Structure formats: structure tokens, C-alpha cells
Amino acid sequence: KAGVTQTPRYLIKTRGQQVTLSCSPISGHRSVSWYQQTPGQGLQFLFEYFSETQRNKGNFPGRFSGRQFSNSRSEMNVSTLELGDSALYLCASSSPGGGAEAFFGQGTRLTVV
Amino acid sequence: KQEVTQIPAALSVPEGENLVLNCSFTDSAIYNLQWFRQDPGKGLTSLLLIQSSQREQTSGRLNASLDKSSGRSTLYIAASQPGDSATYLCAGPSGGRRALTFGSGTRLQVQP
């Protein structure tokens, strides 16, 4: 059974640009969550999607957005990139149900220069 | 709002030692807690998930406990090996939502 797949693994972007990251969850998982990991702030929740609807959102500016498709694949977009957006972006998938285990992908390392 | 704290921040032990990593949380209504391992520059690997109805969960040399009344969870690693060197993170849902709140992690180094 394939795990959570995130693409691309590495990205280098310039300030002011926008970027789109992709996440394919484990087959059968309909919940996808996104997290940002930085040395200073640790792991922080961005948002969660379930059945193509955003269910929860963390405390991030509107430049961070996401969506989920009918096949449960999810994308997150960051517009007008800032140096501080440099981070490891992690995606997690889980099956429906509040007590479900979260499985993470390998992440996308975004560097903004 | 859930807050998660992990102690110690870093730990270095000789191979073969048994060790305990600590995690404390503020929201006692937590319905599960999950322990992860992260190798440098990599994603998170799920180690153990403990539901609120359980007190312990075991996988190989790992044992995790959950005490909701005291707001604590511990991860016990038996007979540590150099391959156990990594950062260990605990996380729990916040306010009944599925969003996870993470501790800052314990960086473990097992010396051969």
C-alpha cells in the first residue's frame, strides 16, 4: 500500500513568486492536512480538507490556501512568497473518524531566496 | 487551545540503555495522542497512536502510555540502539478537531 506522496521534494523560489505543492494521500483516506515546519516555530497546522471541503484552518495569512480534489489529492498554494515562508511543508492523511492515525509524507522543502 | 510540551529537548545515551521521553498536554479532553519519529530533513513516521480509552500501546521495543488526568504521555524505548537516533515528537488534537498540535520534540542520540 503506497504511503503519502508529496511533490516536488525540493523547490527554490524567489520572493514575490507563488508556489503550488501537491499531496496524494493513502488510498482510501479522505482527510488531508497540511503543516509547516520551521526551526523557530516547529510544526504548525495550516489546514485540513475532507471530501473537498476545508474543515479546519490554522493561524496563517490568506496567502496560504489549499484545495482538495474528488480523488482526495490535495494542493496547497502560497502566493507572494516571503523569505519567512522557507520551510518543510508536510502533508498528512488519515481515514475518516476522530481517532484515526495520521500518516505523513516526506515533505516538500521550500526555499525562498 | 491545546499546548504540548516535551522534556527533555535533547538526550544522549549509550547504546543498550532504556529511556523515557516525556510529553505533557493541557487539554485533558484529548481523544488520542500520537508519537512520531523524524530523521533529519525527512517526514514524520508514526510510531504509536494511543486512544483516550487506552492506557498503553506497544510496538516492538516501544511502549507509550497516556494519562489524561495528569495530562501526560510517556514513550519508553527499551534497549536503545544507534538506529534509534532521531527526533521524537508527540502530538494531540486540539479542541476536538483533527488538527494536531505538536510538541517541540526530543532529539535523541544513541552512542554506539
Side-chain angles (χ1 to χ4, degrees):
Chain A
K1 190 171 179 180
V4 179
T5 302
Q6 291 189 245
T7 56
R9 290 293 310 280
Y10 303 93
L11 268 177
I12 299 176
K13 290 286 188 179
T14 304
R15 275 180 300 174
Q17 288 187 315
Q18 75 165 13
V19 66
T20 300
L21 313 181
S22 179
C23 172
S24 293
I26 291 171
S27 178
H29 286 188
R30 292 161 59 193
S31 172
V32 174
S33 299
W34 289 89
Y35 295 82
Q36 181 196 64
Q37 186 176 32
T38 59
Q41 299 296 320
L43 271 153
Q44 293 185 289
F45 170 75
L46 281 157
F47 28 66
E48 180 209 356
Y49 286 86
F50 180 81
S51 293
E52 302 178 64
T53 302
Q54 186 181 89
R55 300 219 318 193
N56 292 301
K57 189 177 191 307
N59 189 26
F60 279 82
R63 300 185 297 106
F64 292 81
S65 64
R67 60 178 176 168
Q68 186 179 34
F69 302 95
S70 58
N71 62 357
S72 294
R73 188 178 71 86
S74 177
E75 289 181 347
M76 68 163 281
N77 184 78
V78 189
S79 62
T80 319
L81 284 165
E82 301 176 0
L83 295 179
D85 297 332
S86 295
L88 180 66
Y89 289 88
L90 293 162
C91 165
S93 81
S94 57
S95 56
E101 188 172 1
F103 295 91
F104 281 77
Q106 289 299 298
T108 295
R109 170 73 63 183
L110 172 65
T111 302
V112 182
V113 298
Chain B
K1 179 188 171 188
Q2 181 75 275
E3 292 182 10
V4 179
T5 305
Q6 291 188 249
I7 295 173
L11 185 62
S12 181
V13 300
E15 182 176 3
E17 270 205 9
N18 302 323
L19 54 101
V20 175
L21 307 182
N22 297 293
C23 171
S24 61
F25 48 90
T26 55
D27 184 1
S28 61
I30 195 169
Y31 56 83
N32 66 31
L33 187 133
Q34 198 165 351
W35 282 91
F36 296 91
R37 166 187 174 138
Q38 185 175 34
D39 293 288
K42 300 293 179 63
L44 276 61
T45 299
S46 178
L47 297 173
L48 290 164
L49 171 71
I50 315 174
Q51 303 292 354
S52 59
S53 57
Q54 303 171 311
R55 291 188 66 87
E56 284 189 5
Q57 191 70 266
T58 297
S59 176
R61 295 183 293 109
L62 305 179
N63 175 277
S65 66
L66 177 63
D67 184 344
K68 289 179 58 176
S69 62
S70 66
R72 292 183 181 180
S73 176
T74 60
L75 179 67
Y76 175 83
I77 302 177
S80 58
Q81 302 171 358
D84 295 330
S85 298
T87 296
Y88 291 80
L89 296 141
C90 66
S94 182
R97 306 183 308 167
R98 297 169 66 86
L100 294 175
T101 298
F102 282 83
S104 53
T106 294
R107 190 171 64 254
L108 172 67
Q109 187 164 17
V110 181
Q111 308 285 355

